Amino acid sequence: MPLLDIAKGIACAVIVGHHLSRYGAMPVGAFPLAPDFLGWLGDDGRLAVQVFLVIAGFLAAASLAPDGVLRVDRPLARIFQRYGRLVMPYLAALTVCVLVAAIVRPWMSGDDVPASPSIGQLLAHGLLMQDLLGYESLSTGVWYVAIDFQLFVLALTLMGLPALWRRTPAAPPSRERWIPVALVLGVVLASLVLFNRNADLDATALYFFGAYGLGMLVFWIGRATRASTWQGAIVLLALAGAGALALDWRSRIATALVSALLIAIAQRQDWLSMARWPDAAMPLQRLGRISYSLFLIHFPVLLATNAAVGQMRPHAAWIDALGMAATFGLSVAAALLLYRWVEVRPASWRAVIALFAALLVSGMLVSA
């Protein structure tokens, strides 16, 4: 689906720009050159994460239950497979970040550089439980990886419940197709109206399932054969989102709702599967394919370039602006390496254990 790759490429570029405008001394120095743009990136760039959440939900529904019926014979094996796919590049990037942070710590002050990690902190990150256990993050944005895994498990659980229901005589087989959709819709509404309004739940999937579930529902709506069914479902989805926003306006939910509706229109018009897009869109499509690696690896690059440019002070604002542009380019180069060397490799327990061990060893070395 090239259009989804393009959307991920744009969203990832905005998220990297958001972090570039918030961490280190370079954005402070470059701010006078583009105050409106950098201010927007710093304040609202984080909303691009909602695009990833909606797309992730859309792809989860397409992979796990395209017809509303779970197509997974061994759910636990699928969960472990998902964990492996997520954590292989994640563990590699965290190892790089731990080492880079230790190198630049003498030249950078403040909270931008993560502190030396404890063994508990390293283990919690490797198990994707750092926020649930209250540990400080070793890198920016790693909360998303843990939430993505939680969302996948929750979605698979909701779609697998009809199989348990079917084992009881009172459950007619005809209900099997709409029960998962109804369950997802119910949890989406609960998330939009209740869970997403409680900041204490922002380390759990319940807080983010509104956006993720919108993506799932949009995929299933797109399978409707009648135009009237599709139109009615889209109107109901839009009304449900508008009602949640009327109850409590949240820009993140508005972004997720608009993203879901745009994907629904693109899916209906067969734009998602178009094989040929304008040449100008190809760089964004390629960026989208490596967006996960870029999301993971750009922070240690950011730390390194901020430390390097900081040693050149005092200097003009354009030096900081050039340093920020160089950081983006170097992050893309690092993401390509991470993508080719780690992300696209088949997930295996041997690789996961080796990368987990590398993170633990590097953390203990820099903490010694």
Side-chain angles (χ1 to χ4, degrees):
M1 300 183 185
L3 184 58
L4 293 187
D5 282 334
I6 293 171
K8 289 194 294 182
I10 296 172
C12 191
V14 172
I15 292 170
V16 173
H18 171 66
H19 292 152
L20 280 172
S21 66
R22 289 180 62 90
Y23 293 98
M26 287 193 299
V28 177
F31 188 80
L33 299 178
D36 293 337
F37 178 63
L38 291 178
W40 172 79
L41 277 177
D43 294 335
D44 298 324
R46 58 187 172 81
L47 296 176
V49 172
Q50 302 301 318
V51 178
F52 276 103
L53 289 169
V54 172
I55 292 176
F58 183 92
L59 296 176
S63 172
L64 298 175
D67 298 316
V69 179
L70 186 64
R71 292 187 178 181
V72 176
D73 296 329
R74 298 184 299 163
L76 285 178
R78 189 61 179 270
I79 289 173
F80 286 129
Q81 181 187 42
R82 179 64 177 173
Y83 171 80
R85 294 297 301 164
L86 281 174
V87 301
M88 282 178 55
Y90 163 84
L91 291 171
L94 276 185
T95 301
V96 173
C97 192
V98 166
L99 295 174
V100 170
I103 294 172
V104 305
R105 200 170 288 121
W107 293 281
M108 291 183 66
S109 59
D111 298 331
D112 291 343
V113 184
S116 298
S118 65
I119 186 65
Q121 189 178 12
L122 294 166
L123 289 170
H125 275 76
L127 297 174
L128 302 179
M129 298 180 66
Q130 65 274 10
D131 294 317
L132 291 173
L133 298 177
Y135 284 105
E136 181 184 354
S137 291
L138 293 175
S139 179
T140 188
V142 295
W143 64 268
Y144 177 85
V145 184
I147 290 297
D148 184 280
F149 182 64
Q150 288 185 39
L151 288 167
F152 182 85
V153 173
L154 178 56
L156 192 150
T157 301
L158 292 174
M159 290 183 284
L161 286 177
L164 298 176
W165 187 307
R166 191 173 60 243
R167 294 173 185 172
T168 58
S174 60
R175 295 184 180 182
E176 186 173 350
R177 290 188 179 274
W178 63 262
I179 288 178
V181 180
L183 288 172
V184 169
L185 176 60
V187 179
V188 165
L189 293 176
S191 177
L192 294 177
V193 174
L194 296 175
F195 305 136
N196 188 257
R197 299 170 62 201
N198 185 351
D200 292 336
L201 296 175
D202 65 358
T204 71
L206 294 174
Y207 185 87
F208 295 95
F209 196 79
Y212 191 86
L214 283 174
M216 297 178 69
L217 293 171
V218 160
F219 176 83
W220 287 322
I221 291 172
R223 306 278 287 184
T225 55
R226 295 182 181 179
S228 59
T229 302
W230 182 86
Q231 292 169 357
I234 289 297
V235 169
L236 288 175
L237 194 68
L239 289 175
L245 292 173
L247 179 66
D248 184 2
W249 173 263
R250 288 147 289 167
S251 54
R252 58 184 180 275
I253 298 302
T255 303
L257 180 62
V258 171
S259 300
L261 294 175
L262 289 176
I263 291 174
I265 295 171
Q267 182 187 26
R268 194 68 179 178
Q269 298 297 326
D270 289 328
W271 294 339
L272 296 182
S273 56
M274 284 178 60
R276 182 64 179 168
W277 282 84
D279 292 340
M282 291 303 294
L284 289 174
Q285 187 177 343
R286 297 191 185 100
L287 190 65
R289 290 175 183 168
I290 65 168
S291 58
Y292 183 51
S293 289
L294 177 57
F295 181 79
L296 294 172
I297 200 65
H298 75 275
F299 187 66
V301 177
L302 181 155
L303 292 178
T305 53
N306 265 284
V309 173
Q311 299 310 301
M312 302 166 58
R313 291 189 179 276
H315 54 249
W318 67 267
I319 296 291
D320 288 312
L322 187 61
M324 293 176 69
T327 301
F328 188 89
L330 291 172
S331 296
V332 172
L336 281 169
L337 295 178
L338 182 62
Y339 177 79
R340 292 172 181 173
W341 292 353
V342 183
E343 185 179 348
V344 296
R345 292 182 178 273
S348 68
W349 283 115
R350 179 178 296 180
V352 170
I353 292 171
L355 289 166
F356 206 143
L359 174 64
L360 294 176
V361 170
S362 63
M364 289 186 288
L365 286 176
V366 300
S367 300

